[in-house]
Amino acid sequence: TNPGFVVRITQAGLDYAHQQGIAVLEKELAQLKLPDISGDFRIRHVGKVRYEISRLDLRSFHLPYSRISLVPNVGLQVAISNAFAEVDGNWRVKIYFIRDHGSFDLKVENIYIKINLKLGSDASGKPTIDTSDCSTRISKVRVHFSGKFGWLYNLFHSAIESRFRKILESKVCENVVSSVRSELQPYLQTLPVTARIDAVAGIDYSLVAPPTTTAQSLDVDLKGEFFSLAHRSAVPFPPLALAFPPDHDRMVYFGVSSYFFNTAGFAYHGAGALVFEITDSLVVSPRNGGLCRCPYPLPAPLQLEKMYPDMLMKLRLSASSAPFLNIGPGGLSLKPVVDIQAYAILPNSSLAPLFLLSLVSNVSAVIDVKSGHIVGSLKVGRYGGGAAKALFCPPLSAPQVRTLQSIMNIFASSILLPHLNARLDQGFPLPLPDRIQLSNILVRFHQ
């Protein structure tokens, strides 16, 4: 399935995420719990030596050199080099009648860690991440014992260093796997796969496929589809292929196809939300205090003033079909058909139909991104085309239709457009995980 919405994270974006992630991992590794060590071994001409290492305290774990890389068709790889750690603890040793104890300092240097991360998606369309491979290699361990019998410690310090090396190598990867599952995976799950917009519609941001990696970027394909909250139905048109321009300078790119916007029109139209009624209680005309009291001379043979003297009018504006939007290098445009049905409100509050007017307009849209939301505004060009007819009198002539169109243009522009723009100014949320804010935003249009 083609996506209606694509998120592309470039190497620059991964580098920033890597800075935050390494800081978390460094903190996690500094909290490693190391087990006590005990054992015995025989020393030639000396005999069996029994030792105990306890109360190990990992004072620090530093990851000064690291990088996250894209592995095409596989996922991500994190490489850490020249890491180092410091450990304090107590020791106790026994050989024949000799007993001693004290403290020690351990320095672990030249730690190399390689982590492979596999990306996927779950049944709900949320992204997943797990460790597919982890390896740790430690090339240098130095231990310093404090105590009276230095010659004795030198006999078994190599054995202690070897034990520490093996323990740390296994513990580091153990902790990395745990950190990915307890920190990174839950964080990715904060990506909203559905977003409620208002009482009418929501957006489906679920993944249509697992994330894919290339040598330049990580792409996440999302459904990007509006749907009615009351009754979700299949969209009658498919999403077309969305091709990204070859830009990789910014951290993150959002690709939004016309499918995304057109499913919004389909959802709102299907829910009956693109219907607006105008009465005298809603709109006041500065000319005579009531817009619906025929403030403009209506063309003959309508003669509404004579047939319905001093009566209010009610206008019902509706889209005859879901508006269809096009995106081109110049921006967004659409040509909606607006039906305007006029009624006279009789003294008994019933409605007498007067005329029906269909208008075709040229509408351009401007969009921007503010506070993590896509916001926009509409600008209406000249209305034209369409047809008009009175429901109670002979057909109208072309000049009469044009006069009605001119009058209805004022209604649509002054009532319908501000209402839609007020809604568009509230915007629609972008699919962002928790605590992510966008800056230095640039919006471009492509064919």
Side-chain angles (χ1 to χ4, degrees), residues 226 235-237 257-276 317-327 332-339 359-365 378 380 416 420 424 428:
F226 283 75
V235 179
F237 47 86
S257 76
S258 57
Y259 177 83
F260 175 82
F261 297 105
N262 288 328
T263 59
F266 176 75
Y268 281 97
H269 180 266
L274 300 183
V275 177
F276 306 91
L317 286 72
S318 61
S320 59
S321 60
F324 198 82
L325 178 145
N326 291 301
I327 301 178
L332 286 72
S333 62
L334 61 158
K335 288 187 176 183
V337 178
V338 179
D339 289 339
L359 298 175
V360 180
S361 60
N362 294 311
V363 180
S364 60
L378 301 176
V380 179
L416 182 59
L420 292 174
L424 291 173
F428 310 109

Side-chain angles (χ1 to χ4, degrees), residues 293-312:
R293 293 180 184 272
C294 301
Y296 301 96
L298 295 174
L302 292 182
Q303 299 176 351
L304 300 182
E305 302 95 324
K306 296 179 180 179
M307 300 189 64
Y308 300 98
D310 202 33
M311 290 185 188
L312 297 177

Side-chain angles (χ1 to χ4, degrees), residues 136-201:
T136 304
R137 180 170 56 86
I138 299 173
S139 62
K140 195 171 186 180
V141 178
R142 294 184 299 169
V143 61
H144 172 71
F145 292 96
S146 62
K148 294 181 290 184
F149 303 101
W151 63 272
L152 181 60
Y153 314 139
N154 291 330
L155 292 177
F156 66 89
H157 84 275
S158 60
I160 299 298
E161 290 173 355
S162 178
R163 290 286 299 275
F164 266 113
R165 181 182 287 106
K166 291 178 181 178
I167 289 173
L168 276 174
E169 286 177 346
S170 65
K171 283 289 182 180
V172 164
C173 276
E174 215 176 278
N175 195 265
V176 165
V177 171
S178 175
S179 183
V180 168
R181 291 175 179 173
S182 64
E183 299 279 348
L184 191 53
Q185 169 66 6
Y187 177 72
L188 289 186
Q189 292 278 300
T190 65
L191 180 78
V193 294
T194 57
R196 183 185 175 96
I197 304 303
D198 48 33
V200 176

